[in-house]
């Protein structure tokens, strides 16, 4: 891949929480790249480390969490058009450099806008704030920029919305306003953490379409975090699947849906409702629960839930990630011919 295609290159990222009960390895050696103008989806159940990964990029991992290893190279373009990498992992979480990137070059949309909008300030004040921090404009100019972005985000009568409080808007309108705030400085990377999970299906569809339109218009990349494979099918170009802090599969979206390689991804796909399934068909659920993060199973952490579990291998040896065809990666012993061959050769016990 040409270097100028890459916007963010995450290598060996580890984020841990040292708690009384033990150390939680929330993100445990994660690698991925985000390409300019493209959408990478990060998928997995709750507790897989996807949101902590997003927060690590912005330097907002909640205490006592810490990035303990790895690189996050952000390829920032300067005013002269030249690109230089900045390792976000080395920046102080509240230092000047990350603050100049956060909200300007990289911004974030959360699941519930009320947790990021303050209820005591008007929408306009909160959208104008990042403009005044990152751009050399007057308050009046910032107001015009904010109203223009509210309009682009599909808010009717944006001048009125500018003077409203967040709690005066419906959930869908509030989410549009939060997208407006995230995009008002035209970031090169938008991190969207379950941005439609709290919305009804119609509003969700509208918000996903809006994000796509704005992505095309502004040319930004999106790191889209979700547990919903239906949303992945709508928005993704590339996908990584995470389980207990590790990437277990990476592929382009078509390969992931038609040729999933990892048993965990295959189980997630079986749990999606489809119109073609018979009305009384019961959805497959993934057997068992996500393990306690203080007691991660030995070998492959998915082995207690895996339908393809190979005793003596999967519960003993931690699988590496295997490179398969077309850039497809899977962290599973099934793709180690030697190991699988040995299992097949073993005589059946009587
Ligand atoms: Fe299942 Fe074994 Fe592959 Fe893990 S390594 S996903 S337990 S087959």
């Amino acid at each position: 891949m040409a270097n100028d295609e890459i916007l963010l290159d995450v290598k060996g990222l580890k984020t841990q929480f040292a708690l009384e009960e033990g150390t939680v390895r929330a993100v445990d050696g994660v690698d991925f790249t985000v390409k300019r103008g493209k959408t990478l989806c990060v998928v997995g159940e709750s507790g897989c480390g996807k949101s902590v990964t997003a927060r690590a990029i912005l330097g907002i991992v909640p205490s006592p969490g810490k990035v303990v290893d790895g690189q996050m190279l952000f390829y920032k373009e300067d005013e002269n058009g030249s690109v230089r990498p900045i390792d976000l992992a080395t920046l102080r979480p509240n230092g000047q450099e990350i603050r100049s990137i956060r909200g300007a070059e990289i911004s974030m949309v959360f699941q519930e806008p009320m947790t990021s909008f303050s209820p005591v300030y008007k929408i306009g004040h909160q959208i104008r704030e990042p403009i005044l921090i990152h751009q050399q404009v007057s308050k009046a100019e910032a107001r015009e920029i904010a109203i223009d972005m509210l309009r682009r985000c599909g808010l009717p009568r944006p001048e009125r919305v500018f003077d409203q409080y967040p709690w005066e808007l419906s959930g869908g309108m509030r989410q549009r306003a939060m997208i407006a705030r995230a995009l008002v400085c035209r970031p090169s990377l938008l991190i969207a953490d379950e941005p439609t999970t709290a919305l009804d299906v119609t509003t969700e569809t509208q918000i996903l379409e809006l994000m796509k339109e704005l992505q095309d218009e502004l040319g930004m990349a999106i790191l889209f975090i979700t547990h919903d494979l239906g949303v992945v099918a709508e928005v993704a170009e590339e996908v990584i699947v995470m389980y207990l802090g590790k990437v277990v599969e990476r592929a382009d979206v078509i390969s992931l849906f038609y040729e999933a390689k990892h048993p965990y991804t295959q189980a997630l796909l079986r749990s999606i409702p489809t119109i073609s399934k018979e009305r009384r068909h019961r959805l497959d659920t993934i057997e068992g629960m996500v393990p306690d993060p203080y007691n991660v199973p030995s070998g492959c952490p998915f082995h207690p839930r895996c339908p393809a579990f190979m005793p003596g291998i999967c519960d003993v040896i931690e699988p590496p990630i295997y490179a398969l065809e077309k850039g497809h990666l899977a962290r599973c012993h099934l793709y180690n011919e030697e190991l699988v061959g040995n299992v097949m050769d073993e005589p059946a016990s009587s």
Side-chain angles (χ1 to χ4, degrees):
M1 190 190 308
N3 261 347
D4 55 3
E5 275 185 41
I6 298 175
L7 179 64
L8 178 69
D9 191 3
V10 173
K11 299 178 189 177
L13 179 67
K14 292 187 179 180
T15 306
Q16 299 181 352
F17 290 76
L19 303 171
E20 271 179 27
E21 300 87 336
T23 298
V24 174
R25 298 171 199 281
V27 179
D28 197 15
V30 160
D31 301 301
F32 62 87
T33 54
V34 181
K35 294 178 198 155
R36 290 182 190 278
K38 305 286 183 195
T39 299
L40 173 74
C41 274
V42 185
V43 193
E45 293 165 286
S46 295
C48 71
K50 54 193 192 304
S51 291
V52 177
T53 301
R55 282 165 173 72
I57 294 166
L58 281 174
I60 53 169
V61 176
S63 179
K66 276 200 179 80
V67 172
V68 295
D69 203 2
Q71 282 187 319
M72 295 180 280
L73 298 175
F74 179 62
Y75 289 84
K76 185 173 157 62
E77 196 172 329
D78 66 20
E79 312 80 55
N80 307 319
S82 48
V83 173
R84 69 180 177 101
I86 298 172
D87 185 357
L88 303 176
T90 63
L91 305 184
R92 278 191 303 115
N94 272 317
Q96 170 59 29
E97 198 162 8
I98 189 69
R99 280 192 284 125
S100 73
I101 292 172
R102 204 159 48 205
E105 298 283 340
I106 307 176
S107 58
M108 187 156 176
V109 176
F110 298 88
Q111 181 182 137
E112 177 40 72
M114 281 310 278
T115 57
S116 66
F117 270 135
S118 163
V120 298
Y121 291 106
K122 290 180 177 172
I123 295 278
H125 174 89
Q126 299 186 62
I127 297 183
R128 204 171 51 181
E129 202 182 10
I131 308 171
L132 291 171
I133 292 172
H134 297 292
Q135 297 177 23
Q136 305 294 322
V137 294
S138 67
K139 275 193 171 179
E141 287 167 326
R143 182 177 191 278
E144 287 312 309
I145 295 170
I147 288 174
D148 180 53
M149 189 51 82
L150 285 168
R151 185 178 297 110
R152 286 180 189 208
C153 288
L155 284 139
R157 291 188 287 166
E159 292 84 357
R160 180 156 178 257
V161 172
F162 188 90
D163 287 320
Q164 285 182 300
Y165 289 95
W167 41 267
E168 292 183 276
L169 303 182
S170 68
M173 289 292 128
R174 221 162 27 225
Q175 196 57 296
R176 286 172 187 269
M178 188 156 76
I179 292 172
R181 188 174 73 170
L183 300 188
V184 79
C185 290
R186 298 176 167 259
S188 47
L189 175 61
L190 175 70
I191 300 175
D193 188 359
E194 307 263 10
T196 57
T197 303
L199 304 174
D200 62 73
V201 176
T202 310
T203 313
E204 174 176 66
T205 306
Q206 290 169 353
I207 295 283
L208 294 179
E209 280 170 7
L210 170 69
M211 290 177 71
K212 187 73 199 129
E213 276 168 34
L214 292 166
Q215 178 177 34
D216 291 344
E217 190 185 326
L218 305 176
M220 68 191 170
I222 301 180
L223 182 66
F224 201 112
I225 293 161
T226 182
H227 66 278
D228 184 341
L229 281 165
V231 170
V232 173
E234 296 274 326
V235 303
E237 268 127 354
E238 288 190 285
V239 188
I240 58 175
V241 181
M242 287 184 69
Y243 189 76
L244 280 178
K246 290 189 191 298
V247 173
V248 296
E249 182 152 8
R250 189 190 86 190
D252 67 81
V253 66
I254 304 285
S255 304
L256 191 97
F257 276 87
Y258 290 99
E259 298 168 59
K261 303 291 186 197
H262 197 282
Y264 176 59
T265 315
Q266 291 165 353
L268 286 176
L269 287 165
R270 281 195 298 273
S271 68
I272 306 180
T274 62
I275 295 168
S276 61
K277 282 184 177 169
E278 284 176 36
R279 259 179 55 211
R280 301 185 67 182
H281 177 97
R282 286 176 68 112
L283 286 178
D284 287 334
T285 51
I286 303 178
E287 203 175 299
M289 304 282 289
V290 177
D292 180 345
Y294 307 111
N295 290 306
V296 174
S298 59
C300 170
F302 187 56
H303 84 254
R305 307 172 75 189
C306 181
F309 169 59
M310 295 176 282
I313 295 177
C314 299
D315 50 348
V316 177
I317 308 167
E318 190 178 339
I321 200 142
Y322 292 98
L324 310 171
E325 70 279 7
K326 294 189 287 183
H328 203 135
L329 304 177
R331 188 182 293 280
C332 174
H333 291 310
L334 292 174
Y335 302 99
N336 181 327
E337 284 173 17
E338 209 178 309
L339 277 181
V340 174
N342 286 342
V343 173
M344 308 278 265
D345 292 346
E346 272 178 27
S349 53
S350 51

